[in-house]
Amino acid sequence: MEAENSGHVLLFPLPIQSPINSMLQLAELFCLAGIQVTFLNTHHNQQLLCRHTNVESRFRQYPKFQFLTISDGLPEEHPRSSLLFGELISSLQAVAEPFLRKILPAMTCVIPDGLFYYAVDIGNEVGVSVIPFDTISPCCLWVYLCFPKLIEAGDIPFKGNDLDVLIENVPGMQGLLRRRDFPFYRLTNCATDLYCQLALKEIQSIPRSHGLILNTFEDLDGPSLSLIRSNCPQTYVVGPLHLQLKNRLADKRMPSSNSLWEEDHSSIEWLDTQPIESVIYVSFGSLAALTKEEILEIWHGLVNSGVRFLWVMRSNLFREEEFNHQLLKELVEGCKERVYIVSWAPQEKVLAHPAIGGFLTHSGWNSTMESIVHGKPMICWAVYVDQRVTSRFVGEVWEIGVDMKDICDRYIVEKVVKDLMVTNKDKFKKSVDKLSILAKQSVEEGGSSYNSFEYLVDYIKKLGRRGKVTNPNCMR
């Protein structure tokens, strides 16, 4: 059968906004390449996706595509917040493991999120190729891969409270990476910390995989990629994914929304009335939660800078508090002409808008890639995991923004905003525009990411023709 000959891929994303978005972009790319795709989502997130996007009608045009859903094992009223992320991952694993054992024999390849380490062992058990898609930044993934060496050297957990001490046992990052840039900078016990244990299990599964997919491009992450390939030679670098998809769609349109939140498009209408590069876009992603004090300091810093800003103020942005509509009303009063607030925005359209001059971001990897593609310098206020490493690279390696992690003081926020949007605007813009051009070249025919995706498609199609696999080609 043709479907079997072209390969049948199961995509299984981490059940949060950014990985789902990236996996759906990858799924559509596979569909365009003629590969049969099954997308495994949780019931909860599939309902949100269908409620707020045209995802069902969009994928209906691909006869070889189907959605499958499973429970994440949590009651519907569970908040599924960043504070309870460990509960979500553990609960989903209990449901997913038996489901994968049942469904994988019908597949030629499974592409799970890199965090789903157990999918690698199940795939190898049933003779199905497993190529994890690690949706975090490659620079952070390399830090993950160095965890065993750091533990053995006694570098982690940290001794003492000085977060500016350099971490010298991460090859390629000597003199760069500080404790405060470490993914788990509050780590006290490796053996009992859930997130450290998940990271260790994830990197231990990579050599047992048949490859690795990363959403970046060679000219951005070349040094990190070279180091990662020492652990997994068959690494497919296919990003920026949203740009790769745009280039391969017949009409070259911007990829459709994959949002789990209702997007407020009035933000675009407001931006249409603003001068070119006069607005800073403020968004901390879909999971990060801030205290009231943090929100107030950032707010007053932005207002005092005199710069216009568009802020995505999610209903669950306030940590341990109800969303305070009255507070928000009082804050906006007096500066309405240069401030606009929405509960969620069509981010790619916002970043592509000529009125946007910068991005105050949590440094999520998708947000970082989108910002680079659209040539928008960043102010990074990283919260956790890969965001902390990424923000350091934005400021010190790529020099396309300012790393403001662990600082929440209105006077510093004001200074940094002025620096990005006024004082050093041209310097930052020149740096990010250079990377934006390289990103676009990477996904054009013959570019590094274009070719890497072609190699991935070719491998999957060969699997479909050949049948099941036995020896992981990443085994060392």
Side-chain angles (χ1 to χ4, degrees):
M1 290 176 64
E2 183 186 355
E4 293 174 341
N5 289 341
S6 65
H8 188 173
V9 177
L10 177 72
L11 294 175
F12 183 25
L14 200 65
I16 52 179
Q17 175 65 74
S18 182
I20 289 172
N21 183 32
S22 297
M23 282 277 196
L24 281 169
Q25 290 167 350
L26 185 61
E28 191 161 4
L29 281 163
F30 283 147
C31 290
L32 290 168
I35 292 173
Q36 186 174 355
V37 176
T38 295
F39 193 92
L40 182 59
N41 210 355
T42 64
H43 298 325
H44 177 82
N45 285 328
Q46 187 68 12
Q47 288 173 358
L48 293 173
L49 196 60
C50 293
R51 187 182 307 156
H52 300 306
T53 74
N54 67 345
V55 70
E56 285 190 318
S57 60
R58 189 166 86 242
F59 276 94
R60 208 170 287 137
Q61 67 181 301
Y62 303 115
K64 293 183 180 181
F65 178 90
Q66 67 171 335
F67 280 112
L68 276 186
T69 63
I70 56 172
S71 169
D72 59 18
L74 297 172
E76 192 54 39
E77 64 273 13
H78 192 282
R80 295 168 174 82
S81 66
S82 60
L83 299 175
L84 299 172
F85 185 67
E87 285 185 21
L88 173 58
I89 296 304
S90 299
S91 177
L92 178 59
Q93 180 174 349
V95 177
E97 281 191 327
F99 186 85
L100 290 174
R101 282 194 172 86
K102 179 180 177 183
I103 194 175
L104 282 192
M107 305 291 162
T108 50
C109 179
V110 57
I111 298 177
D113 188 277
L115 201 60
F116 296 151
Y117 60 89
Y118 50 88
V120 176
D121 290 330
I122 296 171
N124 285 332
E125 283 173 21
V126 299
V128 171
S129 182
V130 190
I131 311 175
F133 178 11
D134 224 310
T135 52
I136 62 173
S137 61
C139 52
C140 181
L141 177 60
W142 174 240
V143 175
Y144 274 14
L145 287 164
C146 294
F147 270 20
K149 179 189 294 185
L150 293 171
I151 294 169
E152 185 180 343
D155 288 345
I156 55 174
F158 303 144
K159 298 172 180 67
N161 299 316
D162 186 354
L163 292 180
D164 288 316
V165 172
L166 289 168
I167 300 173
E168 297 290 3
N169 283 308
V170 177
M173 297 187 190
Q174 296 93 338
L176 172 71
L177 200 69
R178 306 161 299 177
R179 287 176 173 179
R180 72 174 64 253
D181 307 314
F182 196 72
F184 311 115
Y185 66 109
R186 293 194 180 100
L187 183 65
T188 57
N189 189 324
C190 299
T192 59
D193 185 274
L194 171 65
Y195 300 106
C196 184
Q197 286 299 305
L198 281 172
L200 284 168
K201 289 175 180 176
E202 176 180 349
I203 63 169
Q204 288 162 4
S205 72
I206 287 176
R208 301 195 301 274
S209 304
H210 301 79
L212 182 67
I213 300 170
L214 296 175
N215 182 17
T216 188
F217 56 102
E218 296 285 346
D219 285 312
L220 180 69
D221 277 311
S224 296
L225 294 170
S226 177
L227 292 162
I228 288 168
R229 287 187 174 112
S230 66
N231 288 261
C232 185
Q234 199 60 45
T235 296
Y236 300 94
V237 178
V238 299
L241 266 177
H242 68 286
L243 195 58
Q244 178 100 256
L245 178 56
K246 178 184 177 182
N247 275 19
R248 289 173 185 258
L249 289 167
D251 52 7
K252 303 288 184 182
R253 58 179 166 80
M254 188 176 289
S256 299
S257 169
N258 296 317
S259 177
L260 303 180
W261 296 68
E262 184 176 1
E263 296 174 337
D264 187 340
H265 288 265
S266 68
S267 54
I268 303 298
E269 295 170 14
W270 181 78
L271 287 172
D272 288 341
T273 67
Q274 306 305 311
I276 290 176
E277 295 180 358
S278 66
V279 179
I280 188 162
Y281 173 54
V282 184
S283 175
F284 298 105
S286 62
L287 280 180
L290 284 66
T291 65
K292 179 180 176 181
E293 289 70 28
E294 288 169 337
I295 290 172
L296 286 174
E297 289 300 305
I298 293 171
W299 177 276
H300 287 297
L302 285 162
V303 170
N304 295 341
S305 74
V307 172
R308 295 171 172 85
F309 61 95
L310 166 64
W311 189 326
V312 173
M313 196 81 73
R314 300 186 332 262
S315 58
N316 62 348
L317 183 64
F318 286 71
R319 183 190 291 263
E320 299 170 355
E321 294 182 43
E322 289 294 321
F323 187 76
N324 194 324
H325 291 277
Q326 183 57 36
L327 171 66
L328 195 58
K329 187 177 179 182
E330 292 170 6
L331 288 173
V332 174
E333 205 64 43
C335 55
K336 289 180 181 176
E337 68 283 351
R338 57 189 178 88
V339 175
Y340 200 75
I341 295 176
V342 292
S343 58
W344 196 247
Q347 181 161 291
E348 274 198 66
K349 290 181 180 178
V350 167
L351 288 172
H353 200 286
I356 295 294
F359 186 8
L360 201 169
T361 172
H362 65 308
S363 295
W365 189 235
N366 268 13
S367 293
T368 302
M369 291 297 288
E370 290 165 4
S371 202
I372 289 171
V373 166
H374 294 296
K376 310 299 182 183
M378 288 162 270
I379 296 172
C380 303
W381 198 72
V383 184
Y384 40 59
V385 196
D386 66 318
Q387 301 165 12
R388 303 191 71 82
V389 186
T390 303
S391 62
R392 185 64 168 168
F393 270 62
V394 166
E396 297 298 320
V397 178
W398 304 320
E399 298 180 341
I400 53 175
V402 181
D403 183 5
M404 198 181 67
K405 70 164 65 74
D406 301 331
I407 296 172
C408 209
D409 175 282
R410 64 186 67 187
Y411 301 107
I412 293 177
V413 172
E414 176 186 352
K415 179 181 180 301
V416 169
V417 170
K418 286 179 177 176
D419 187 37
L420 191 86
M421 298 291 287
V422 182
T423 311
N424 287 304
K425 177 179 179 178
D426 292 342
K427 181 189 80 170
F428 286 122
K429 190 76 173 93
K430 185 178 179 181
S431 294
V432 76
D433 281 347
K434 186 184 297 184
L435 284 178
S436 176
I437 291 168
L438 292 171
K440 290 166 184 172
Q441 290 174 347
S442 74
V443 297
E444 291 172 357
E445 189 169 356
S448 59
S449 294
Y450 183 98
N451 289 341
S452 189
F453 180 73
E454 292 294 305
Y455 296 144
L456 176 59
V457 167
D458 186 57
Y459 172 70
I460 292 169
K461 288 185 174 180
K462 282 179 179 175
L463 282 177
R465 292 191 293 269
R466 193 170 68 227
K468 294 187 177 182
V469 297
T470 52
N471 297 315
N473 60 24
C474 230
M475 191 75 76
R476 297 183 63 78

